[in-house]
Amino acid sequence: MSPRFPLIALMLIAGCAPAADPAGNATAENATPDNATPDNAAATPAAQAAADAGDAEPAQPGIRDAWIRLPAIAGRPAAAYFTIVGGAADDAVVAVTSPAFARAELHETVEENGVTRMQMGARVPFTAGARLDLAPGGRHVMLFDPTGALKPGGTAELTVAFANSPNVTVKAELRAPSGQATDHGSAHGGSH
């Protein structure tokens, strides 16, 4: 046996162990599967797909920040608001439904000759990748005839139907007529 064999064997054994910092912790450069870090760990197919997508726009439109302003007076309609996040292609909201209400209508607040009024609309078009807010004083969804007791702080489902994309169902936060999550005794309502 050559006198160099033990030296070579020692070098090979030392090279297999993960490098350690002064505290004895393995470093990312030589991490093993037992102490792998996100930088060198093998990604699952789902994680890899998410990483590959990065900041790319979603293929389908989405709905964010949905909320419903409950009416100040019983028997009056509620109003729903949300942000549409456009997908990879132009599209349009064509309907909104909710099991918490008997009927829903798309509306827009318009001003003509100094008079502000609501007008029912058939659809809300949006462009690919755009963000469009349905907000008080503009486009919104009027919700008529609640099917049960609704209270601020709760939630209700909204299903948004698109012209060219699958429906999206979200939970919308129920807010008091003031637009707050709880009413705190407010007796007046806001505009839809």
Side-chain angles (χ1 to χ4, degrees):
M1 186 185 288
S2 161
R4 293 174 43 187
F5 178 75
L7 181 59
I8 293 171
L10 182 60
M11 287 173 48
L12 289 173
I13 292 170
C16 292
D21 65 14
N25 298 315
T27 62
E29 293 80 27
N30 281 333
T32 63
D34 292 335
N35 62 2
T37 64
D39 293 336
N40 64 3
T44 64
Q48 188 62 49
D52 291 343
D55 289 332
E57 67 186 39
Q60 305 297 330
I63 301 297
R64 305 276 187 275
D65 305 322
W67 63 284
I68 296 171
R69 177 182 293 164
L70 296 172
I73 301 168
R76 302 288 300 163
Y81 309 103
F82 48 84
T83 299
I84 302 164
V85 180
D90 294 355
D91 209 334
V93 173
V94 295
V96 177
T97 58
S98 175
F101 296 89
R103 185 177 56 144
E105 297 175 357
L106 294 168
H107 280 236
E108 183 172 9
T109 303
V110 295
E111 185 176 330
E112 292 176 357
N113 301 320
V115 176
T116 302
R117 65 180 181 82
M118 281 189 293
Q119 139 184 326
M120 192 164 75
R123 57 194 291 133
V124 178
F126 56 91
T127 58
R131 292 179 68 92
L132 179 64
D133 292 324
L134 275 67
R139 292 184 171 138
H140 57 277
V141 180
M142 297 299 299
L143 300 165
F144 299 90
D145 305 319
T147 58
L150 302 173
K151 303 258 185 243
T155 62
E157 267 188 12
L158 293 175
T159 298
V160 180
F162 298 97
N164 302 310
S165 301
N167 294 352
V168 175
T169 298
V170 296
K171 295 261 185 204
E173 177 187 10
L174 298 175
R175 296 186 185 175
S178 63
Q180 301 298 316
T182 58
D183 197 359
H184 297 299
S186 174
H188 62 279
S191 67
H192 292 289

